[in-house]
Amino acid sequence: MNRYLYHLVAFVVIAIWGSTFVFTKLLLLGGLTAAQIFILRFIIAYMLLLGYCLIRGIRWVADSWRDELLMAALGVTGGSLYFLTENSSMNYTTTTNTSIIVSLCPLFASAIIGLFYKTERLSRLQTFGTLMAAAGVIVVVMNGHFVLHLSPRGDLLAFAACLCWALYSLLMIPANARYDTVFVTRKVFFYGLLSMIPYYIIYPELNLHLVLQQPQLLWNLLFLGCVASMLCFLTWNWVLKKLGAVVATNYVYLNPVTTIIFAWSLLGEPITLWFLLGTILVLLGMFLADKKKKKI
């Protein structure tokens, strides 16, 4: 029963992350840049977690400098570098290319994690399942228009974002094994913000006045900071610990599916036959990818 709960939580987190494209787009239209949105939402998330840690007396530093470097790497791969490469890629390539490449990060994650952890390597059935889910993502995103417009710079940035999330999933394995989820998540936010200082020195404006002057933008930002960042990162890191990095990361395949559902319900965009076919492939592929290896 607990395993079903872990899967349900993973689905809810991915569904919320799928909705963030709508809220982020509204903030971009309101005058904020992608980097400003990242910094502001991470500040909100970090301050909330900091207050909680002060009340509960949660530790401040890791047990060793190596573990502290591990936390810094998590903050960069899952925070600053991931968001900057993903958002920057859309300046040089199409949204379709970015969506497909970033949503395929479970393939990268399972391959990289399998290199370091023999117990996490996929069986043939699991490999077939994750490839089927990946094919479903392509069908969903392309929506019947099977034409890719290659743009080396933008596509490489999208691949960099994909690689960042795969490395984040890999690094979470030793971090979750040795530390509490709240501590790890707080460190992710802290080092994610710290690593953005060079960028902020070059582009110091946060445009916070735009958010304060428009209540709709403020609510969107609070949702991204409180729910999509603080709450979702906490629960996602917890799910990584419970389900394992490979199985949990497969839920990223559902990201474009949930995004389209939110676009249909909030923006009135149509649901097509290609979307339904792709969703079936994603769900069936995820089911096969979650099958346990048979013990010999």
Side-chain angles (χ1 to χ4, degrees):
M1 183 63 185
N2 284 340
R3 190 168 180 82
Y4 290 113
L5 174 63
Y6 305 148
H7 282 286
L8 177 61
V9 172
F11 171 77
V12 171
V13 170
I14 290 299
I16 293 173
W17 278 344
S19 73
T20 59
F21 290 97
V22 176
F23 295 100
T24 301
K25 183 175 181 179
L26 292 172
L27 288 170
L28 290 170
L29 292 174
L32 274 71
T33 68
Q36 290 167 352
I37 295 170
F38 164 75
I39 292 173
L40 290 173
R41 67 185 280 188
F42 261 48
I43 287 175
I44 293 170
Y46 179 69
M47 295 306 295
L48 288 173
L49 269 184
L50 184 63
Y52 177 80
C53 292
L54 285 171
I55 295 172
R56 296 296 299 270
I58 294 176
R59 65 160 70 199
W60 290 101
V61 295
D63 291 333
S64 67
W65 65 267
R66 288 186 179 85
D67 285 353
E68 198 66 34
L69 286 177
L70 172 63
M71 301 300 163
L74 285 168
V76 172
T77 55
S80 57
L81 191 57
Y82 170 77
F83 281 98
L84 284 178
T85 51
E86 181 188 48
N87 293 328
S88 297
S89 70
M90 288 185 281
N91 292 326
Y92 303 102
T93 189
T94 63
T95 303
T96 299
N97 285 29
T98 301
S99 298
I100 290 175
I101 294 170
V102 172
S103 295
L104 294 181
C105 82
L107 287 176
F108 286 77
S110 59
I112 292 174
I113 292 171
L115 288 175
F116 290 89
Y117 295 93
K118 187 177 180 180
T119 56
E120 294 285 345
R121 291 175 186 172
L122 300 179
S123 65
R124 290 183 179 178
L125 180 61
Q126 289 173 316
T127 301
F128 177 75
T130 195
L131 289 173
M132 180 184 290
V137 166
I138 294 173
V139 172
V140 166
V141 175
M142 302 203 73
N143 197 25
H145 304 286
F146 298 101
V147 179
L148 282 175
H149 301 281
L150 299 180
S151 174
R153 182 186 296 183
D155 294 342
L156 283 174
L157 284 169
F159 274 115
C162 186
L163 182 60
C164 281
W165 195 255
L167 290 174
Y168 176 80
S169 301
L170 172 67
L171 296 173
M172 262 298 170
I173 296 176
N176 274 330
R178 297 197 286 271
Y179 296 97
D180 177 77
T181 301
V182 175
F183 172 78
V184 174
T185 307
R186 193 192 75 219
K187 287 290 186 179
V188 170
F189 293 141
F190 173 75
Y191 283 112
L193 288 169
L194 189 66
S195 57
M196 283 294 292
I197 290 178
Y199 183 93
Y200 184 70
I201 291 174
I202 300 173
Y203 304 101
E205 181 59 55
L206 280 179
N207 282 333
L208 189 58
H209 65 283
L210 295 177
V211 176
L212 297 176
Q213 290 171 0
Q214 303 178 65
Q216 183 183 10
L217 296 185
L218 178 60
W219 284 114
N220 289 342
L221 185 61
L222 288 174
F223 172 81
L224 291 176
C226 300
V227 180
S229 291
M230 192 274 289
L231 186 59
C232 283
F233 265 84
L234 269 176
T235 50
W236 183 254
N237 292 342
W238 176 75
V239 165
L240 284 175
K241 180 183 291 188
K242 297 297 183 180
L243 286 179
V246 172
V247 173
T249 305
N250 275 331
Y251 271 91
V252 174
Y253 286 132
L254 283 174
N255 210 324
V257 175
T258 56
T259 299
I260 291 175
I261 291 175
F262 272 99
W264 167 72
S265 61
L266 298 177
L267 304 177
E269 296 185 6
I271 296 291
T272 67
L273 182 61
W274 289 106
F275 168 79
L276 296 176
L277 174 61
T279 301
I280 291 172
L281 287 174
V282 169
L283 293 175
L284 182 57
M286 289 178 60
F287 173 77
L288 295 176
D290 190 41
K291 286 291 184 181
K292 294 288 188 182
K293 295 181 184 179
K294 293 181 179 179
K295 294 183 179 180
I296 300 175

